[in-house]
Amino acid sequence: MRDSVGTVRTVLLLGGRSEIGLAIVERLVREGAREVVLAARGGVAEPPAALAALGAKVHSLEFDATAPDTHTATVDGAVALVGDLDVVVDAFGVLGTQADYEADPAAAARAAAVNYTGHVSAGLAVAARLREQGHGALVVLSSVAGVRVRRFNFVYGSAKAGLDGFAQGLADSLHGSGARVLVVRPGYVPTRMSAHVDPAPFPATPAQVAEAVSAGLRSGATTVWAPRVLAPVFAGMRLMPRPIWRRLGR
């Protein structure tokens, strides 16, 4: 639970091996968080040594994005380990290639289930807990890929568009409860998950995304972009005529 000066004390990371998610957790630990739960399929047997070195107690928990019936139990398990959840970081996902998805529709559907419907059940389970607590923040990793879906990655982008809309609606549903949602829209972030993707303009490192999240949590923002310049860039892209839009590459 947050201390008397509002410092985050407990953090749950859904997608416990996510490089961006772990960068956010490390940032919060550097700022005072002391209890961390890393939730991932099979648990996280070897959590980053940096977290313990910074003084955090790190727990591991089973979490399967494709098993929505278990998501409430995962949240309950985290509460049993650390008590009230100050910040929950929703960072799980998969990133395949558009060509592979078009060649294997079943694989595309499985990826969409992880990148969208898994977040619906997990997000509602977290929201129920935060509403009961009367405080806490859910950080949802959306993407600029969902702001306006492009043809080169429309399976991934359409799932992110759904997630972004879901997160905004969830935020409105929590208004007045003491709990809130922070939507994060990074652009291209070089990580192991995106290693097969060509770099795009205005990249951000995981640490820069974490910095944006930290600032957003402190300011009470509802949405942050990483880097910030992507907000005006995509405001313009939303207005771009479709014949031009469909010819764009990355």
PDB file of all heavy atoms in Angstrom, residues 36 46 55 59-60 72 88 109 128 148 150 154 161 179-180 187 208 214-215 221-222 224 226 233 236-237 242:
ATOM      1  N   VAL A  36       7.360  -6.836  -5.009  1.00  0.00           N
ATOM      2  CA  VAL A  36       7.098  -7.007  -6.443  1.00  0.00           C
ATOM      3  C   VAL A  36       6.626  -8.431  -6.699  1.00  0.00           C
ATOM      4  O   VAL A  36       7.207  -9.384  -6.170  1.00  0.00           O
ATOM      5  CB  VAL A  36       8.373  -6.730  -7.266  1.00  0.00           C
ATOM      6  CG1 VAL A  36       8.169  -7.093  -8.727  1.00  0.00           C
ATOM      7  CG2 VAL A  36       8.795  -5.271  -7.118  1.00  0.00           C
ATOM      8  N   GLU A  46      14.002 -17.002 -12.273  1.00  0.00           N
ATOM      9  CA  GLU A  46      15.199 -16.193 -12.038  1.00  0.00           C
ATOM     10  C   GLU A  46      14.863 -14.720 -12.283  1.00  0.00           C
ATOM     11  O   GLU A  46      15.123 -14.180 -13.357  1.00  0.00           O
ATOM     12  CB  GLU A  46      16.332 -16.640 -12.957  1.00  0.00           C
ATOM     13  CG  GLU A  46      16.788 -18.072 -12.691  1.00  0.00           C
ATOM     14  CD  GLU A  46      17.952 -18.481 -13.579  1.00  0.00           C
ATOM     15  OE1 GLU A  46      18.443 -17.621 -14.343  1.00  0.00           O
ATOM     16  OE2 GLU A  46      18.357 -19.638 -13.522  1.00  0.00           O
ATOM     17  N   GLY A  55      16.764  -3.640  -3.145  1.00  0.00           N
ATOM     18  CA  GLY A  55      16.054  -3.762  -1.869  1.00  0.00           C
ATOM     19  C   GLY A  55      14.637  -4.259  -1.968  1.00  0.00           C
ATOM     20  O   GLY A  55      13.906  -4.253  -0.967  1.00  0.00           O
ATOM     21  N   HIS A  59       8.496 -11.730  -5.693  1.00  0.00           N
ATOM     22  CA  HIS A  59       7.715 -12.965  -5.678  1.00  0.00           C
ATOM     23  C   HIS A  59       7.420 -13.391  -7.115  1.00  0.00           C
ATOM     24  O   HIS A  59       7.405 -12.558  -8.025  1.00  0.00           O
ATOM     25  CB  HIS A  59       6.391 -12.752  -4.940  1.00  0.00           C
ATOM     26  CG  HIS A  59       6.519 -12.152  -3.588  1.00  0.00           C
ATOM     27  ND1 HIS A  59       6.639 -12.908  -2.436  1.00  0.00           N
ATOM     28  CD2 HIS A  59       6.549 -10.844  -3.189  1.00  0.00           C
ATOM     29  CE1 HIS A  59       6.723 -12.095  -1.387  1.00  0.00           C
ATOM     30  NE2 HIS A  59       6.669 -10.842  -1.816  1.00  0.00           N
ATOM     31  N   SER A  60       7.163 -14.674  -7.281  1.00  0.00           N
ATOM     32  CA  SER A  60       6.829 -15.222  -8.591  1.00  0.00           C
ATOM     33  C   SER A  60       5.452 -15.866  -8.525  1.00  0.00           C
ATOM     34  O   SER A  60       5.082 -16.460  -7.507  1.00  0.00           O
ATOM     35  CB  SER A  60       7.870 -16.259  -9.015  1.00  0.00           C
ATOM     36  OG  SER A  60       7.470 -16.911 -10.216  1.00  0.00           O
ATOM     37  N   THR A  72      -8.667 -14.044 -12.190  1.00  0.00           N
ATOM     38  CA  THR A  72      -9.065 -13.543 -10.866  1.00  0.00           C
ATOM     39  C   THR A  72      -8.234 -14.213  -9.777  1.00  0.00           C
ATOM     40  O   THR A  72      -7.799 -13.553  -8.813  1.00  0.00           O
ATOM     41  CB  THR A  72     -10.563 -13.789 -10.634  1.00  0.00           C
ATOM     42  OG1 THR A  72     -11.317 -13.009 -11.576  1.00  0.00           O
ATOM     43  CG2 THR A  72     -10.964 -13.381  -9.223  1.00  0.00           C
ATOM     44  N   VAL A  88      -0.431  -2.084 -10.880  1.00  0.00           N
ATOM     45  CA  VAL A  88      -0.425  -3.322 -11.668  1.00  0.00           C
ATOM     46  C   VAL A  88      -0.028  -2.937 -13.093  1.00  0.00           C
ATOM     47  O   VAL A  88      -0.646  -2.053 -13.698  1.00  0.00           O
ATOM     48  CB  VAL A  88      -1.804  -4.005 -11.670  1.00  0.00           C
ATOM     49  CG1 VAL A  88      -1.757  -5.277 -12.525  1.00  0.00           C
ATOM     50  CG2 VAL A  88      -2.245  -4.322 -10.250  1.00  0.00           C
ATOM     51  N   ALA A 109      -5.435 -15.928 -34.748  1.00  0.00           N
ATOM     52  CA  ALA A 109      -6.488 -15.869 -33.725  1.00  0.00           C
ATOM     53  C   ALA A 109      -5.912 -16.095 -32.335  1.00  0.00           C
ATOM     54  O   ALA A 109      -6.325 -15.443 -31.368  1.00  0.00           O
ATOM     55  CB  ALA A 109      -7.565 -16.910 -34.032  1.00  0.00           C
ATOM     56  N   ALA A 128     -11.584  -4.957 -10.470  1.00  0.00           N
ATOM     57  CA  ALA A 128     -12.441  -5.334  -9.334  1.00  0.00           C
ATOM     58  C   ALA A 128     -11.671  -5.215  -8.024  1.00  0.00           C
ATOM     59  O   ALA A 128     -12.197  -4.734  -7.011  1.00  0.00           O
ATOM     60  CB  ALA A 128     -12.969  -6.753  -9.527  1.00  0.00           C
ATOM     61  N   ARG A 148      -3.891   4.016 -35.259  1.00  0.00           N
ATOM     62  CA  ARG A 148      -4.466   3.841 -36.596  1.00  0.00           C
ATOM     63  C   ARG A 148      -3.791   2.625 -37.195  1.00  0.00           C
ATOM     64  O   ARG A 148      -2.570   2.607 -37.403  1.00  0.00           O
ATOM     65  CB  ARG A 148      -4.252   5.065 -37.476  1.00  0.00           C
ATOM     66  CG  ARG A 148      -4.997   4.922 -38.812  1.00  0.00           C
ATOM     67  CD  ARG A 148      -4.978   6.177 -39.642  1.00  0.00           C
ATOM     68  NE  ARG A 148      -5.766   5.971 -40.868  1.00  0.00           N
ATOM     69  CZ  ARG A 148      -5.907   6.872 -41.834  1.00  0.00           C
ATOM     70  NH1 ARG A 148      -5.346   8.067 -41.722  1.00  0.00           N
ATOM     71  NH2 ARG A 148      -6.626   6.603 -42.918  1.00  0.00           N
ATOM     72  N   ARG A 150      -2.293  -0.164 -39.432  1.00  0.00           N
ATOM     73  CA  ARG A 150      -1.638  -0.156 -40.742  1.00  0.00           C
ATOM     74  C   ARG A 150      -1.652  -1.556 -41.365  1.00  0.00           C
ATOM     75  O   ARG A 150      -1.686  -2.549 -40.657  1.00  0.00           O
ATOM     76  CB  ARG A 150      -0.191   0.324 -40.582  1.00  0.00           C
ATOM     77  CG  ARG A 150      -0.074   1.805 -40.287  1.00  0.00           C
ATOM     78  CD  ARG A 150       1.267   2.147 -39.690  1.00  0.00           C
ATOM     79  NE  ARG A 150       1.343   1.689 -38.299  1.00  0.00           N
ATOM     80  CZ  ARG A 150       2.424   1.814 -37.533  1.00  0.00           C
ATOM     81  NH1 ARG A 150       3.519   2.312 -38.036  1.00  0.00           N
ATOM     82  NH2 ARG A 150       2.407   1.410 -36.288  1.00  0.00           N
ATOM     83  N   PHE A 154      -1.665  -5.477 -39.454  1.00  0.00           N
ATOM     84  CA  PHE A 154      -3.029  -5.215 -38.998  1.00  0.00           C
ATOM     85  C   PHE A 154      -3.572  -6.242 -38.013  1.00  0.00           C
ATOM     86  O   PHE A 154      -4.515  -5.942 -37.263  1.00  0.00           O
ATOM     87  CB  PHE A 154      -3.980  -5.035 -40.187  1.00  0.00           C
ATOM     88  CG  PHE A 154      -4.197  -6.249 -41.044  1.00  0.00           C
ATOM     89  CD1 PHE A 154      -5.090  -7.236 -40.680  1.00  0.00           C
ATOM     90  CD2 PHE A 154      -3.523  -6.389 -42.256  1.00  0.00           C
ATOM     91  CE1 PHE A 154      -5.318  -8.346 -41.494  1.00  0.00           C
ATOM     92  CE2 PHE A 154      -3.741  -7.486 -43.077  1.00  0.00           C
ATOM     93  CZ  PHE A 154      -4.630  -8.476 -42.695  1.00  0.00           C
ATOM     94  N   ALA A 161      -5.632  -1.907 -30.968  1.00  0.00           N
ATOM     95  CA  ALA A 161      -6.715  -0.932 -31.035  1.00  0.00           C
ATOM     96  C   ALA A 161      -7.846  -1.326 -30.084  1.00  0.00           C
ATOM     97  O   ALA A 161      -8.414  -0.480 -29.374  1.00  0.00           O
ATOM     98  CB  ALA A 161      -7.238  -0.825 -32.467  1.00  0.00           C
ATOM     99  N   ALA A 179      -9.471   4.318  -7.828  1.00  0.00           N
ATOM    100  CA  ALA A 179      -8.545   3.576  -8.689  1.00  0.00           C
ATOM    101  C   ALA A 179      -8.521   4.237 -10.073  1.00  0.00           C
ATOM    102  O   ALA A 179      -9.435   4.979 -10.436  1.00  0.00           O
ATOM    103  CB  ALA A 179      -8.981   2.129  -8.810  1.00  0.00           C
ATOM    104  N   ARG A 180      -7.498   3.952 -10.843  1.00  0.00           N
ATOM    105  CA  ARG A 180      -7.422   4.568 -12.170  1.00  0.00           C
ATOM    106  C   ARG A 180      -6.625   3.696 -13.131  1.00  0.00           C
ATOM    107  O   ARG A 180      -5.969   2.724 -12.711  1.00  0.00           O
ATOM    108  CB  ARG A 180      -6.798   5.950 -12.081  1.00  0.00           C
ATOM    109  CG  ARG A 180      -5.335   5.975 -11.666  1.00  0.00           C
ATOM    110  CD  ARG A 180      -4.913   7.404 -11.379  1.00  0.00           C
ATOM    111  NE  ARG A 180      -3.511   7.533 -11.024  1.00  0.00           N
ATOM    112  CZ  ARG A 180      -2.549   7.877 -11.874  1.00  0.00           C
ATOM    113  NH1 ARG A 180      -2.826   8.101 -13.152  1.00  0.00           N
ATOM    114  NH2 ARG A 180      -1.302   7.978 -11.472  1.00  0.00           N
ATOM    115  N   GLY A 187       5.978   3.801 -29.214  1.00  0.00           N
ATOM    116  CA  GLY A 187       6.202   3.471 -30.613  1.00  0.00           C
ATOM    117  C   GLY A 187       7.099   2.245 -30.683  1.00  0.00           C
ATOM    118  O   GLY A 187       6.944   1.304 -29.903  1.00  0.00           O
ATOM    119  N   GLN A 208      13.107   4.533 -21.303  1.00  0.00           N
ATOM    120  CA  GLN A 208      12.366   5.760 -21.614  1.00  0.00           C
ATOM    121  C   GLN A 208      10.859   5.548 -21.453  1.00  0.00           C
ATOM    122  O   GLN A 208      10.150   6.457 -21.024  1.00  0.00           O
ATOM    123  CB  GLN A 208      12.704   6.211 -23.044  1.00  0.00           C
ATOM    124  CG  GLN A 208      14.121   6.749 -23.175  1.00  0.00           C
ATOM    125  CD  GLN A 208      14.541   6.987 -24.620  1.00  0.00           C
ATOM    126  OE1 GLN A 208      14.191   6.228 -25.526  1.00  0.00           O
ATOM    127  NE2 GLN A 208      15.305   8.042 -24.842  1.00  0.00           N
ATOM    128  N   SER A 214       6.371   6.467 -15.097  1.00  0.00           N
ATOM    129  CA  SER A 214       6.584   7.051 -13.773  1.00  0.00           C
ATOM    130  C   SER A 214       6.041   8.474 -13.715  1.00  0.00           C
ATOM    131  O   SER A 214       5.347   8.851 -12.757  1.00  0.00           O
ATOM    132  CB  SER A 214       8.088   7.041 -13.444  1.00  0.00           C
ATOM    133  OG  SER A 214       8.330   7.730 -12.235  1.00  0.00           O
ATOM    134  N   ALA A 215       6.327   9.248 -14.744  1.00  0.00           N
ATOM    135  CA  ALA A 215       5.834  10.628 -14.780  1.00  0.00           C
ATOM    136  C   ALA A 215       4.310  10.654 -14.844  1.00  0.00           C
ATOM    137  O   ALA A 215       3.654  11.477 -14.195  1.00  0.00           O
ATOM    138  CB  ALA A 215       6.436  11.363 -15.975  1.00  0.00           C
ATOM    139  N   ALA A 221      -1.886  11.460 -15.027  1.00  0.00           N
ATOM    140  CA  ALA A 221      -2.262  11.410 -16.441  1.00  0.00           C
ATOM    141  C   ALA A 221      -3.106  10.169 -16.735  1.00  0.00           C
ATOM    142  O   ALA A 221      -3.026   9.158 -16.036  1.00  0.00           O
ATOM    143  CB  ALA A 221      -1.006  11.405 -17.308  1.00  0.00           C
ATOM    144  N   THR A 222      -3.911  10.261 -17.780  1.00  0.00           N
ATOM    145  CA  THR A 222      -4.690   9.102 -18.222  1.00  0.00           C
ATOM    146  C   THR A 222      -4.012   8.390 -19.396  1.00  0.00           C
ATOM    147  O   THR A 222      -4.258   7.209 -19.625  1.00  0.00           O
ATOM    148  CB  THR A 222      -6.100   9.523 -18.652  1.00  0.00           C
ATOM    149  OG1 THR A 222      -5.996  10.524 -19.686  1.00  0.00           O
ATOM    150  CG2 THR A 222      -6.865  10.098 -17.473  1.00  0.00           C
ATOM    151  N   VAL A 224      -0.094   8.326 -21.692  1.00  0.00           N
ATOM    152  CA  VAL A 224       1.238   8.839 -21.987  1.00  0.00           C
ATOM    153  C   VAL A 224       1.726   8.200 -23.280  1.00  0.00           C
ATOM    154  O   VAL A 224       1.361   7.074 -23.611  1.00  0.00           O
ATOM    155  CB  VAL A 224       2.250   8.561 -20.847  1.00  0.00           C
ATOM    156  CG1 VAL A 224       1.874   9.321 -19.588  1.00  0.00           C
ATOM    157  CG2 VAL A 224       2.384   7.075 -20.567  1.00  0.00           C
ATOM    158  N   ALA A 226       5.307   7.431 -25.668  1.00  0.00           N
ATOM    159  CA  ALA A 226       6.755   7.276 -25.501  1.00  0.00           C
ATOM    160  C   ALA A 226       7.396   6.995 -26.869  1.00  0.00           C
ATOM    161  O   ALA A 226       7.218   5.906 -27.398  1.00  0.00           O
ATOM    162  CB  ALA A 226       7.072   6.141 -24.528  1.00  0.00           C
ATOM    163  N   VAL A 233       2.455  13.533 -33.799  1.00  0.00           N
ATOM    164  CA  VAL A 233       2.674  12.795 -35.051  1.00  0.00           C
ATOM    165  C   VAL A 233       1.433  11.987 -35.415  1.00  0.00           C
ATOM    166  O   VAL A 233       0.948  12.016 -36.557  1.00  0.00           O
ATOM    167  CB  VAL A 233       3.908  11.879 -34.925  1.00  0.00           C
ATOM    168  CG1 VAL A 233       3.959  10.896 -36.103  1.00  0.00           C
ATOM    169  CG2 VAL A 233       5.181  12.705 -34.873  1.00  0.00           C
ATOM    170  N   GLY A 236      -1.703  13.860 -36.544  1.00  0.00           N
ATOM    171  CA  GLY A 236      -1.680  14.119 -37.973  1.00  0.00           C
ATOM    172  C   GLY A 236      -1.977  12.871 -38.787  1.00  0.00           C
ATOM    173  O   GLY A 236      -2.713  12.922 -39.784  1.00  0.00           O
ATOM    174  N   MET A 237      -1.422  11.729 -38.354  1.00  0.00           N
ATOM    175  CA  MET A 237      -1.631  10.493 -39.109  1.00  0.00           C
ATOM    176  C   MET A 237      -3.095  10.066 -39.128  1.00  0.00           C
ATOM    177  O   MET A 237      -3.564   9.452 -40.082  1.00  0.00           O
ATOM    178  CB  MET A 237      -0.763   9.377 -38.517  1.00  0.00           C
ATOM    179  CG  MET A 237       0.715   9.520 -38.860  1.00  0.00           C
ATOM    180  SD  MET A 237       1.687   8.094 -38.335  1.00  0.00           S
ATOM    181  CE  MET A 237       3.238   8.417 -39.206  1.00  0.00           C
ATOM    182  N   ARG A 242      -6.955   7.941 -46.674  1.00  0.00           N
ATOM    183  CA  ARG A 242      -6.715   6.503 -46.700  1.00  0.00           C
ATOM    184  C   ARG A 242      -5.891   6.026 -47.899  1.00  0.00           C
ATOM    185  O   ARG A 242      -5.049   5.129 -47.749  1.00  0.00           O
ATOM    186  CB  ARG A 242      -8.036   5.750 -46.640  1.00  0.00           C
ATOM    187  CG  ARG A 242      -7.859   4.284 -46.323  1.00  0.00           C
ATOM    188  CD  ARG A 242      -9.146   3.651 -45.876  1.00  0.00           C
ATOM    189  NE  ARG A 242      -8.971   2.247 -45.574  1.00  0.00           N
ATOM    190  CZ  ARG A 242      -9.947   1.472 -45.152  1.00  0.00           C
ATOM    191  NH1 ARG A 242     -11.160   1.971 -44.970  1.00  0.00           N
ATOM    192  NH2 ARG A 242      -9.721   0.186 -44.900  1.00  0.00           N
TER     193      ARG A 242
END
